[in-house]
Amino acid sequence: HVQLVESGGGSVQAGGSLRLSCAASGYTFRSYCAGWYRQPPGGIHEGIAAIDRDGTTQYADSMEGRFTISEDKAKNTLYLQINDLKPEDSGKYYCAAEGARQSRDGKCSTHPPAFGVRGRGTQVTVSS
């Protein structure tokens, strides 16, 4: 049984940083693509980043620069570092696994529907 548990969210002021964590049980992140996506209040899911079995990372076009995905193999934990937070970054952040690959190039997809499982999410609120 795969279980993903996110942590690290909270309320921060614009310009601040957060590091989100995702601890996995019943699953090894290096088995498939894994990643993060978010859902703004009243909005749709937005892909952020994905990481491949060999550590190669992919970012959604609008997420380059301020977001960094990484993993700790020994702890079987996935991370998302977010810098220079903006109010529009507010939302629920989800860790996801069992991700699919893009058919055109075989790289991990960052699109939320590409992931087979996700955690319950962690809330991020950024005030101006």
Side-chain angles (χ1 to χ4, degrees):
H1 175 67
V2 177
Q3 186 173 18
L4 305 174
V5 180
E6 302 95 335
S7 61
S11 296
V12 297
Q13 289 193 325
S17 298
L18 283 174
R19 189 177 81 154
L20 309 183
S21 300
C22 174
S25 60
Y27 181 84
T28 301
F29 281 119
R30 283 303 178 89
S31 299
Y32 298 92
C33 299
W36 291 89
Y37 60 89
R38 69 185 184 187
Q39 184 172 22
I44 61 173
H45 291 141
E46 300 175 338
I48 299 173
I51 188 165
D52 207 338
R53 290 173 290 184
D54 63 356
T56 302
T57 57
Q58 303 294 328
Y59 294 90
D61 289 343
S62 60
M63 304 297 176
E64 293 270 11
R66 297 188 297 116
F67 297 84
T68 303
I69 188 172
S70 63
E71 62 180 340
D72 185 325
K73 288 186 290 184
K75 296 181 179 179
N76 203 29
T77 299
L78 196 67
Y79 301 100
L80 183 69
Q81 177 73 36
I82 315 172
N83 297 326
D84 189 23
L85 279 155
K86 305 176 186 302
E88 53 265 38
D89 291 323
S90 296
K92 199 83 168 281
Y93 283 69
Y94 297 96
C95 168
E98 295 184 353
R101 299 177 180 280
Q102 300 174 155
S103 57
R104 64 176 185 271
D105 56 15
K107 296 179 180 179
C108 290
S109 174
T110 60
H111 293 178
F115 297 98
V117 295
R118 73 172 195 197
R120 292 188 174 185
T122 185
Q123 182 69 36
V124 172
T125 303
V126 184
S127 57
S128 57

